[in-house]
Every structure is written in structure tokens, then in C-alpha cells.
């Protein structure tokens, strides 16, 4: 009998209920549904925050879902599951930033040199994407996280505040700064 | 106008589509070019890396891990509950456990804190003892003998100025050395009793 017949409604379960199934019954199907819902999103989030490094993003996504398998009791059902997942992922990235601080600074210096020596006359979509990606990458970590969560992951300001454990005012300020920085940098290349 | 409101406007409307009031508010914060750049960025940012997906092998690895996690407690249950253990081993194990329990309980009792009843006296009256020194009083009784001067014996005449006539009781003179008269010798005396 296929799994879908045994659990006909499990795909419609809310996240918290699926987590309960995993925590109490080690329900494989519940885990699979959660994975299908969030894996691409979380992989992309890691990819965006970890310098477009696919291998690292894969490792981080695996570690994130392993946490769900091994410690599902850490999830508090009174909180939004998606926010909790983003919080875990953000903290993992912060740890990685700390670990790779020196390397990250070196990479930023290299990127900046390329950035200043490149002044195109006309930017097509592909180039715009490239410049936008670079501009996002040059933001300081907290600003980058805020920007990615807001404009690439479509999180609300309140959600970002919870994920980053900061007041909403701080998040708004960071977003404002990030937008200004990116608009200025991208605008320097953009010419219609 | 807050930048979040401008952001919402930029997501919804092109600069040319803004109402005059909205346009004025936007222009108070940024130029038209900046607004258009912001709009362009906001539309492009979510599309960046949108086609990036995790490798299919990742799901397989995680599902295998999930299965292993699920099987782990079952294996352990079978190992403990369904294993045949000889009766003598069970009895021996139980016998070995009993002294340990006694030791543990003994140690526990020794280690337990005994409750101590503290009686705290509350005194609301204070007695102050005061030592009063007094002179020691010694009472001595002293008998003093005073010598009396030899007074001359009073003469009978001084006591009885009038002479008293004393008639003699008997005819017999009082002889201080006489031992008395025998009844046999004195018939008068005998007569006194026989009358």
C-alpha cells in the first residue's frame, strides 16, 4: 500500500502538526512533506547567504533537516514553524560567518577591486542580475540577512525581527540602509 | 513617507502611474530615477537564484537518516525485551541488586539532613538583676555582769515597823539538828492521829 493511501491527508497538515508527528512517531511521511515544502526555499536561502556556494548550501540544508530529524522536540508549536526554520538557518550562517571571517574579508576585497574596475555602458538583464548579486554580497552580514529575508524570501518585518532576535526598528533601519546601498551601487551601472 | 511605504508603492506602481500626492511624497524622499532603480531592484531581487534547487540525492540521504532514526528505538526494544535470559541469571541479578539497594538507602539515610527543632524564645519582659550591697550586721548579745555594791541587810524592823507577836507552834524548840519526834516517843503526837 503506498504511503499516500495510508496517510491521505498528511499533505494538508499544518507544519506544527507534521512536527508533532515526527517528534512522537518518527513519521517518515510527515518529514517528507516538510522537506518538500521547505527544502528548496532553505537551500536557496543558504545559497544566497553563503556566497552562492552550492556545496556549502547543500551541507547546510542537510544539517538543518538533520536537526528536525534528531531534535524535533526543540520546536515550540506556539511559534511559526517557518520562522523557526529561518532562525535556525540564520544562526547556522552566523556561525559560518564567524568561522570564515578572515576568508570572507579577503573575498570582499577581491570583489571590490573587480567592482570598481567594471563600468559598462549598457547593462542587460543578465548583467543586472550579476551586479545586483554582487551588491547584495557586499552588504554587511546583518544588512544582507535582512535584505535577503525581506526582498528575496518575502518575510515580513516582524518575522525578520523574530528570526534575527532584534527590534523591528533595527530591522527597518537595516533594510533602509541596505536598499540605499544597493540602489546606489546598482544605479551606478544602470543606464536605460 | 516611510521607506517601507515607498517600497510598497514601488512594488505596485510605476512612477508614471503614481497619483500626484504619492508622487509628491516619493519625490520628497528620492528622485524619479532612484525610484525606478528601486522598483527594478525589488522586482529583480526575488528572481535572483530562483532556479537554484537542492540536489535530489539530498532528499534520499535525509530520508535514509529518518528511517535509521525510526528503527533505532525498535532495535533497542527487541534487544532488551525479546532476548531469552535464563532464570538463574535473573535471580542472580536480583540478588545482586538487593544489597546495592540497601547500601544506597543506607547512604541516603546517612546523607539525609536531620530536621533540627529550633526553639526561639521570645522575651518581652526584661528583668534586670541589680546587686545591692549592704553592710553586714552582726548582732552580738553581750552579757555584762555588773557588780552590785553590798547593801546592808534590811532589818526586820525596817520591813515590819510594828512588832509582830509570833506565838510558838510547839513547845519544842526548833532544833536544827533534831531529826523529829517518833510517834512512839510522843504520845501527844500519837493522840493527834488517834483522835
Amino acid at each position: 500500500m503506498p504511503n499516500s493511501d495510508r496517510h491521505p491527508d498528511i499533505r494538508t497538515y499544518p507544519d506544527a502538526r507534521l512536527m508533532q508527528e515526527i517528534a512522537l512517531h518518527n513519521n517518515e511521511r510527515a518529514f517528507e512533506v516538510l522537506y518538500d515544502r521547505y527544502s528548496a526555499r532553505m537551500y536557496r536561502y543558504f545559497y544566497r547567504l553563503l556566497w552562492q556556494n552550492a556545496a556549502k548550501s547543500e551541507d547546510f540544508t542537510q544539517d538543518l533537516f538533520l536537526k528536525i530529524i534528531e531534535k524535533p522536540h526543540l520546536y515550540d508549536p506556539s511559534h511559526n514553524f517557518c520562522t523557526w526554520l529561518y532562525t535556525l538557518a540564520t544562526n547556522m550562517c552566523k556561525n559560518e560567518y564567524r568561522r570564515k571571517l578572515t576568508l570572507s574579508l579577503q573575498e570582499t576585497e577581491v570583489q571590490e577591486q573587480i567592482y570598481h574596475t567594471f563600468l559598462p555602458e549598457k547593462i542587460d538583464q543578465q548583467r543586472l542580475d550579476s551586479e545586483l548579486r554582487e551588491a547584495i554580497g557586499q552588504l554587511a552580514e546583518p544588512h544582507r540577512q535582512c535584505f535577503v529575508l525581506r526582498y528575496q524570501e518575502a518575510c515580513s518585518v516582524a518575522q525578520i525581527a523574530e528570526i534575527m532576535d532584534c527590534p523591528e526598528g533595527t530591522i527597518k533601519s537595516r533594510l533602509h540602509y541596505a536598499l540605499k546601498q544597493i540602489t546606489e551601487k546598482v544605479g551606478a551601472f544602470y543606464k536605460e | 513617507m516611510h521607506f517601507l511605504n515607498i517600497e510598497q508603492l514601488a512594488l505596485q506602481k510605476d512612477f508614471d502611474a503614481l497619483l500626484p500626492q504619492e508622487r509628491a511624497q516619493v519625490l520628497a524622499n528620492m528622485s524619479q530615477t532612484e525610484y525606478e532603480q528601486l522598483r527594478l531592484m525589488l522586482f529583480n531581487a526575488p528572481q535572483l537564484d530562483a532556479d537554484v534547487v537542492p540536489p535530489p540525492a539530498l532528499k534520499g540521504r535525509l530520508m535514509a537518516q529518518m528511517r535509521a532514526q525510526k528503527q533505532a528505538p525498535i532495535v533497542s526494544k527487541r534487544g532488551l525485551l525479546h532476548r531469552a535470559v535464563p532464570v538463574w541469571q535473573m535471580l542472580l541479578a536480583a540478588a545482586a541488586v538487593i544489597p546495592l539497594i540497601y547500601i544506597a538507602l543506607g547512604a541516603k539515610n546517612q546523607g539525609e539532613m536531620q530536621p533540627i527543632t529550633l526553639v526561639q524564645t521570645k522575651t518581652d519582659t526584661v528583668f534586670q538583676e541589680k546587686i545591692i550591697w549592704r553592710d553586714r550586721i552582726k548582732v552580738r548579745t553581750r552579757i555584762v555582769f555588773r557588780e552590785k555594791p553590798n547593801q546592808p541587810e534590811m532589818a526586820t524592823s525596817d520591813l515590819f515597823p510594828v512588832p509582830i507577836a509570833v506565838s510558838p507552834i510547839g513547845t519544842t524548840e526548833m532544833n536544827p539538828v533534831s531529826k523529829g519526834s517518833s510517834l512512839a516517843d510522843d504520845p501527844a503526837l500519837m493522840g493527834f492521829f488517834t483522835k
Side-chain angles (χ1 to χ4, degrees), chain B residues 72-119:
Chain B
I74 295 167
V75 170
S76 146
K77 274 181 192 171
R78 281 187 179 172
L80 287 174
L81 301 177
H82 297 271
R83 187 170 290 171
V85 179
V87 177
W88 68 269
Q89 279 187 4
M90 289 169 70
L91 290 173
L92 194 66
V97 166
I98 289 167
L100 289 176
I101 292 170
Y102 274 111
I103 290 166
L105 286 176
K108 192 183 175 187
N109 288 336
Q110 281 177 359
E112 276 180 359
M113 299 285 284
Q114 293 295 326
I116 299 169
T117 309
L118 286 174
V119 179

Side-chain angles (χ1 to χ4, degrees), chain A residues 93-106:
Chain A
C93 288
K94 280 181 187 171
N95 292 339
E96 180 65 12
Y97 295 152
R98 283 192 207 106
R99 205 171 66 84
K100 294 271 184 181
L101 184 63
T102 314
L103 183 63
S104 171
L105 286 171
Q106 287 169 356

Side-chain angles (χ1 to χ4, degrees), chain A residues 26 28 32 35-36 43-44 48 58 62 66 69 125 132-133 150-152 172 176 179 182 187 190, chain B residues 3 7-8 37 40-42 44-46 48-50 52-53 55 58-59 61-62 65 67 70:
Chain A
N26 280 325
E28 273 182 69
E32 192 178 3
Y35 181 85
D36 290 344
Y43 179 83
R44 227 173 2 249
R48 283 164 171 163
E58 187 180 338
Q62 180 170 317
L66 275 176
I69 293 172
Q125 184 64 45
L132 189 56
R133 193 178 286 122
R150 175 70 178 158
Y151 301 112
Q152 295 188 299
K172 285 177 186 172
H176 182 57
L179 271 182
I182 291 171
Y190 178 69
Chain B
F3 87 95
E7 168 207 297
Q8 288 304 312
Q37 284 168 358
L40 186 73
M41 189 200 63
L42 290 176
N44 276 282
L48 279 179
D49 310 316
V52 171
V53 287
L58 179 59
K59 185 177 179 180
R61 288 202 299 272
L62 285 167
Q65 186 67 30
R67 271 190 293 278
K70 191 176 181 178

Side-chain angles (χ1 to χ4, degrees), chain A residues 15-17 19-20 72-81 84:
Chain A
D15 300 336
R17 174 76 191 280
M19 281 302 288
Q20 193 183 13
H73 56 275
L74 292 180
Y75 169 64
D76 178 3
S78 64
H79 287 80
N80 182 285
F81 175 76
W84 178 69

